[in-house]
Amino acid sequence: MPKSAAGQKRQAAQADLDDQNPKRANSGRNEKAEAPNGTKRITRSSDQSSPNASTSSRKQPNRTSSKNDKSAEASSSAVNTPNKKAKIIKKGIARPVVKSKKIANPKATKNPSKLPTKADHPPRATDGRSSSLSEVSIPIRKAKALAIDDAAEEDDSDGPSYWLMKAEPDSRMEKGKDVKFSIDDLMNATEPEAWDGVRNPTARNNMRAMMKGDMAFFYHSNCKKPGIVGTMEIVREHSVDASAFDKEHPYHDEKSTEDKPKWCVVHVEFRRKFPNMVSLKELQQFAKPGGTLENMQTLRMSRLSVSKVSKKEWDFIHSLLEDDAEAA
């Protein structure tokens, strides 16, 4: 059937376009081609796909975006409600972050009616004995020690304090003067004797702590047989030791001046001379661990000329004298 002029023109224009773009011509021919036997053959071109491919090419929901949306909503709700668990988004993964909060008693917050009582948690004493809550403020052993110390302080506060003071009974010359002073010299004194020449800070501080009426052991020192030989009483409290200013005195101290005196004296009077000396060796026998004189200051600081004596030590040393008298 002859084609019209318009149809021929369209066919010619199509041929020109095919010459300019060969790919377009091939794709057009592949869409519909006739088999030699006259049947239509369908070929798959690059822009067509199988039914399975078309199905897989359907738009899938964006799971990551939905997770992000949910995480964003959770984080925004966490900001508005700080007491709830907050979530932080990191690489598309929602991780819960729990804000730590110190609770004094976690069990009490769950069930306030089940709070611990005295019966549930009885207090423990360090020596195995039980006691009430009101009684447990310090360990029992420590309380015992404090009670003993308090009792000793009360005993000492009711009576005088006790001391030990050393002097040299044998002659010894210092700067042309004899520094000898024995229990007999004190016994023969007609007036209170100034205990001078002390140049040790600890001994000086002990003298400053002495009160009128305190008692002291007279101790013979720096001799062949040292030990306690008698007692004396403090009759006048500390005053300036003027012997430190005297350049001719055996115990002169140029650092001690009348404007700034460093040393002091106390005045003592004789009270008793023991029939038998309590020797240093005898005292040392009771100074072993666990002994009555274990903590006696003069035995722990042998070069200290003025030392403290506890009432317990004072009484014990007097008991040694009584034992010697009974034995005689």
Side-chain angles (χ1 to χ4, degrees), residues 116-134:
T117 60
K118 294 182 181 180
D120 296 333
H121 302 287
R124 294 180 180 179
T126 55
D127 62 352
R129 296 180 297 160
S130 61
S131 57
S132 62
L133 287 174
S134 60

Side-chain angles (χ1 to χ4, degrees), residues 270-284:
F270 172 83
R271 288 294 175 264
R272 181 186 177 190
K273 181 179 178 179
F274 296 155
N276 297 310
M277 172 191 291
V278 182
S279 66
L280 174 61
K281 289 184 178 180
E282 189 174 1
L283 295 173
Q284 290 174 339

Side-chain angles (χ1 to χ4, degrees), residues 26-44:
N26 292 334
S27 63
R29 284 193 295 270
N30 289 335
E31 289 178 359
K32 291 183 180 181
E34 292 183 358
N37 56 4
T39 61
K40 292 184 178 180
R41 182 164 55 88
I42 299 175
T43 60
R44 296 177 180 176

Side-chain angles (χ1 to χ4, degrees), residues 103-116:
I103 301 175
N105 189 354
K107 294 182 180 180
T109 57
K110 294 181 180 179
N111 192 353
S113 62
K114 293 184 178 181
L115 292 173

Side-chain angles (χ1 to χ4, degrees), residues 143-159 311:
K144 280 184 176 181
L146 293 175
I148 292 172
D149 293 341
D150 292 342
E153 289 179 1
E154 289 177 1
D155 291 341
D156 292 342
S157 63
D158 293 340
K311 187 178 188 304

Side-chain angles (χ1 to χ4, degrees), residues 64-80 85-90 92-95:
T64 303
S65 62
S66 63
K67 287 181 180 179
N68 292 340
D69 295 340
K70 291 179 180 179
S71 302
E73 291 177 1
S75 61
S76 62
S77 62
V79 173
N80 296 332
K85 295 180 180 179
K87 293 183 179 179
I88 297 176
I89 310 304
K90 186 177 181 181
I93 301 174
R95 296 182 181 179

